Amino acid sequence: MKLKLKLKHLLSILLIALLTISCSTDDEDNMDTSSVSEVDGLTLIQELTNSTHRIELYNTTGEFKTGYNAVSLRVKDLATNTYVEDAELSWMPVMQMPTMQHACPMSSPTKVIDKNTVYSGYIIYQMTNLDGEGWSLTVDYTINGNDYTVSDTITVIQNHNQNVLSFLGADDVRYIVALIEPSTPKIAINTLKVGLFKMENMMSFPVVENFSLTLDPRMPGMGNHSSPNNTNLIYNPSDGVYYADLSLTMTGYWVLNLKLLNENSEVLKGEEVTEEHTQSSLYLELEF
């Protein structure tokens, strides 16, 4: 009799265990597992929501800052609670000022290689939010031939260092130069990446091709000394970015003195650094 009871007890435990495993498997099968790990290492900045979808915006810090912002996006279908794997996206950041509005340099979001639900692009904010002024972001997207849009205000924080500069060149064209890399400088030869754009109109900022930028890094707090083995910034047509070798010989505050030259090697902005003229009018900053 006791043996039968023990067998019944064991069978009950086994049945409960099997049911638990089955339920757990069913729950996992019903989850949207396609994108669970696709934003690992990224922090949510903001969500833009309309009646059909939620656009999730991510980067490494969880904030928009002045300068270059690499941004990842996901589109979530609110009806099915799943992330969209095939969408065409564009966006438009706009600074609303009391008497005018303008956009900024940006790329079009594209699907990330080896990701099912993540799209990425960049936005370069020239300024932060000011009193009575502010940024908005509109995302237009197409799914299965249907067009959608979503828009909301966003917050842009001032970066500690000057990593973007808007200026008028000697040719009366307004340019924007922005530091892209190094994002984590080190004592070594760093790869310097800089974006160069021109203001075609208030809403269009195309990449400037085939110009050049001379580079002279200095440490103002250390006698304004420079460093060896630097190279000038040259345009790379494969990604539309200017590249150079940047030699950083110690930690601290660095000024990256620049001169902008057009295709004819005419100087459009910036000056040589001398004992009398210690800093160019065209410069970016690094501190580490």
Side-chain angles (χ1 to χ4, degrees):
M1 186 68 175
K2 287 184 178 179
L3 181 60
K4 286 182 180 180
L5 289 171
K6 285 182 179 179
L7 286 172
K8 281 186 178 181
H9 185 63
L10 288 171
L11 287 170
S12 297
I13 293 173
L14 182 59
L15 182 60
I16 291 169
L18 288 171
L19 288 170
T20 302
I21 292 170
S22 176
C23 291
S24 176
T25 303
D26 289 342
D27 289 343
E28 289 175 4
D29 289 341
N30 291 329
M31 285 178 63
D32 177 25
T33 57
S34 62
S35 56
V36 168
S37 62
E38 292 202 332
V39 291
D40 281 355
L42 299 176
T43 302
L44 182 67
I45 308 169
Q46 189 171 334
E47 296 175 342
L48 312 178
T49 305
N50 57 24
S51 61
T52 53
H53 298 92
R54 182 171 71 230
I55 308 294
E56 299 173 353
L57 307 172
Y58 295 86
N59 66 6
T60 56
T61 65
E63 297 175 322
F64 285 127
K65 292 185 177 181
T66 52
Y68 178 87
N69 293 260
V71 186
S72 296
L73 304 85
R74 293 194 301 178
V75 183
K76 190 165 192 176
D77 189 310
L78 298 178
T80 62
N81 201 37
T82 58
Y83 288 99
V84 175
E85 297 189 10
D86 188 13
E88 296 178 10
L89 299 103
S90 64
W91 53 19
M92 179 58 73
V94 174
M95 164 60 88
Q96 184 64 54
M97 305 181 79
T99 58
M100 55 171 282
Q101 60 181 16
H102 64 80
C104 61
M106 60 189 160
S107 68
S108 297
T110 56
K111 191 74 167 287
V112 177
I113 297 174
D114 298 329
K115 301 281 189 181
N116 292 321
T117 65
V118 180
Y119 305 79
S120 68
Y122 67 79
I123 300 174
I124 297 175
Y125 296 109
Q126 312 102 306
M127 61 182 69
T128 186
N129 297 71
L130 304 172
D131 292 341
E133 307 169 355
W135 286 97
S136 65
L137 181 63
T138 299
V139 179
D140 295 315
Y141 56 104
T142 303
I143 302 171
N144 296 326
N146 296 311
D147 296 331
Y148 305 90
T149 188
V150 61
S151 183
D152 205 347
T153 58
I154 58 173
T155 299
V156 177
I157 299 170
Q158 181 67 48
N159 198 293
H160 177 67
N161 291 318
Q162 180 166 286
N163 61 350
V164 64
L165 186 64
S166 174
F167 59 92
L168 193 65
D171 55 357
D172 291 326
V173 174
R174 181 158 293 278
Y175 296 94
I176 295 92
V177 63
L179 177 66
I180 301 174
E181 293 286 348
S183 55
T184 53
K186 56 184 181 294
I187 299 175
I189 301 293
N190 296 257
T191 297
L192 178 64
K193 296 171 63 176
V194 168
L196 179 64
F197 310 85
K198 68 177 180 180
M199 189 177 76
E200 193 172 57
N201 55 56
M202 299 300 284
M203 294 295 166
S204 177
F205 297 79
V207 170
V208 176
E209 302 178 0
N210 301 319
F211 279 24
S212 62
L213 292 135
T214 66
L215 171 65
D216 187 356
R218 300 278 180 152
M219 291 196 80
M222 299 291 290
N224 213 36
H225 72 74
S226 187
S227 59
N229 304 315
N230 297 287
T231 63
N232 293 327
L233 287 144
I234 303 299
Y235 178 72
N236 185 340
S238 65
D239 60 1
V241 172
Y242 288 75
Y243 284 78
D245 290 336
L246 169 63
S247 175
L248 300 175
T249 53
M250 63 176 65
T251 60
Y253 171 68
W254 288 83
V255 173
L256 310 183
N257 296 282
L258 305 171
K259 281 194 302 178
L260 176 63
L261 286 72
N262 64 14
E263 293 166 306
N264 300 319
S265 297
E266 298 168 330
V267 177
L268 302 181
K269 182 71 172 177
E271 302 79 27
E272 293 283 349
V273 176
T274 64
E275 288 188 5
E276 294 76 27
H277 192 85
T278 58
Q279 185 169 305
S280 174
S281 60
L282 178 59
Y283 68 93
L284 299 168
E285 297 175 317
L286 274 179
E287 191 167 7
F288 70 110

